[in-house]
Amino acid sequence: MSLESCQRWLWAAIQSSSDDFDPRTAPIHSEGLAAQQRVAIYANGYRLRLLECLQAEFTALAGLLGEPLFTRF
């Protein structure tokens, strides 16, 4: 599998919900963490970084809504 194919697969896996993710489609298999757990590391990090950027960009809205509501938004 090419690097581009792996990157496209990872991006699709990050964007999918955990219910849609099929670890059997993982392009790389290794000992240790399961494919779903490995992808979750990237997915959670990506979402947290996006939230951090949004909070920095929209500080007034974050303050107005409060952290729990802004995070869900």
Side-chain angles (χ1 to χ4, degrees):
M1 179 176 267
S2 71
L3 175 59
E4 182 181 354
S5 297
C6 287
Q7 290 172 329
R8 289 184 186 280
W9 177 88
L10 180 59
W11 180 244
I14 287 171
Q15 289 180 312
S16 72
S17 72
S18 59
D19 296 336
D20 295 335
F21 178 75
D22 184 0
R24 294 172 295 183
T25 64
I28 299 171
H29 300 280
S30 66
E31 299 297 320
L33 294 176
Q36 191 166 10
Q37 293 169 316
R38 293 192 314 267
V39 169
I41 291 169
Y42 289 99
N44 291 335
Y46 181 75
R47 290 181 183 115
L48 288 173
R49 179 67 181 130
L50 282 178
L51 180 58
E52 182 181 295
C53 291
L54 287 171
Q55 287 174 331
E57 191 69 27
F58 300 102
T59 54
L61 182 60
L64 180 66
L65 295 177
E67 187 175 337
L69 182 57
F70 186 82
T71 301
R72 286 195 324 234
F73 172 72

